[in-house]
Structures are given as C-alpha cells and as structure tokens.
Amino acid sequence: MVIKLCQFCDDETPAVARVYFAWTRLSDGEREESEKNLCADHMRSKRSEFTDGSEDGPMDPAFEVLAEFDEALEAVASGQWDQELGYIHPSGMRFVWHHGAYIDVFVEFGDSTAVATIGVYDYGKGAPTISTYEEFKRECDEWVTELDDHDRQAYASEAFWQNRDSREQR
C-alpha cells in the first residue's frame, strides 16, 4: 500500500483525496486549473475557499473531489499516521520511522545516533512504500536478515563510537 502526501504541506502529512479545482484570476481574467493531493486540513480550507468564496478569493471557482484515498483516511482516523513507529528486533537492534523517507537503525536501545537508515520512499510515486506497522516491521526484519556477520560487527563498532558519550553517562 502506498500513501500519497499532501502537496501543500511541508511535512509528511498524508493526502486523503485527489482534488480538481479551477478559478479565474482577478488580475488578467485567465482561467487556471489544478489537480492536487490534499490532506484533511487543506481539503477543508480549499473546499471552503472554492465553494464559499471570499472578497479576495478566486473568481468563478470550481472544486471537485476526484478520488478519496481510503488507506490514508483509515491511517489518519486511527491515529496511526501521527505516531512515530518503533520496533526492537530480537537481536536488540532498534528501528524508528517518522513516516518519512527512511527508517533509522540503532544498535542498542539507549543509542541516540542512528548507524544506518533503510530507504522506504518511492520517489517516482512521491510516497513511502510502507504505511502500516506490519509493513514497517517486515521491512526491518528483512533488513536484519540480509546482514552478514561482518555487517553486524561493523554496525556494532560504528554504534559504539557514535554513541560512546551517551553510553559512558549510563
């Protein structure tokens, strides 16, 4: 499942619908059209702007929902999207995902600096390739399974040096 992101937000806010809107510019009378993926907040504000109008708003506005993204609606409604996802693998490695392009990998529980990242973003689609906890956990398990003994030792060594100050304070 792929969740699209809002094209008006600067963060990783999921879009809940694809929307068409059109307007006539006040300055020159030219007609403009646009299709955008919008989050719930921008959907409300754009719908209000394009249906209720305003003094300085668009002339002759049009607004139509082209498609609703059920997966994103469910993730937002359940509160799952707003939560940082974390997972501790049986090996002791800790994984954290903030719903962005990467999952952060920590070797020991108390480490504050990640030693690796796992790419989980499809730049062609403009969305993360995972969206549920189950998909997140599966991605982490697969990453650990693909490590060999040399990789494990290298990450453990890197984690020690990057996090030595915080480990000494424990």
Side-chain angles (χ1 to χ4, degrees):
M1 167 180 18
V2 174
I3 290 190
K4 296 172 178 18
L5 301 180
C6 177
Q7 292 176 275
F8 282 105
C9 290
D10 293 333
D11 57 9
E12 304 282 326
T13 305
V16 297
R18 179 111 183 129
V19 174
Y20 163 84
F21 43 102
W23 64 98
T24 302
R25 290 193 305 238
L26 291 171
S27 60
D28 60 9
E30 289 292 315
R31 186 82 173 151
E32 289 199 32
E33 298 180 349
S34 183
E35 283 186 25
K36 298 278 186 192
N37 296 327
L38 302 179
C39 67
D41 288 340
H42 280 111
M43 179 109 154
R44 278 190 292 277
S45 67
K46 291 296 178 189
R47 176 177 281 141
S48 175
E49 179 183 341
F50 279 80
T51 55
D52 298 340
S54 66
E55 241 176 66
D56 56 347
M59 291 185 354
D60 190 26
F63 183 92
E64 179 182 352
V65 175
L66 301 175
E68 290 186 344
F69 305 138
D70 294 335
E71 296 90 359
L73 287 167
E74 290 171 19
V76 171
S78 69
Q80 180 184 41
W81 189 264
D82 296 332
Q83 297 174 2
E84 169 187 281
L85 296 183
Y87 168 60
I88 299 176
H89 186 268
S91 69
M93 287 189 163
R94 181 171 58 99
F95 300 86
V96 177
W97 185 46
H98 302 277
H99 302 284
Y102 300 97
I103 296 171
D104 294 323
V105 181
F106 301 88
V107 173
E108 288 192 15
F109 183 74
D111 289 351
S112 59
T113 303
V115 295
T117 57
I118 304 168
V120 291
Y121 198 80
D122 183 335
Y123 289 92
K125 294 181 180 177
T129 57
I130 61 174
S131 59
T132 67
Y133 182 78
E134 292 75 25
E135 292 169 336
F136 161 69
K137 185 177 176 291
R138 184 173 39 251
E139 192 74 33
C140 298
D141 289 339
E142 288 173 6
W143 187 85
V144 171
T145 301
E146 293 173 4
L147 293 177
D148 62 23
D149 288 339
H150 177 75
D151 291 334
R152 289 178 206 272
Q153 182 57 40
Y155 285 126
S157 177
E158 180 71 15
F160 173 79
W161 290 108
Q162 285 191 20
N163 295 284
R164 69 180 178 270
D165 292 339
S166 63
R167 289 184 182 184
E168 289 171 2
Q169 293 173 0
R170 288 188 230 161

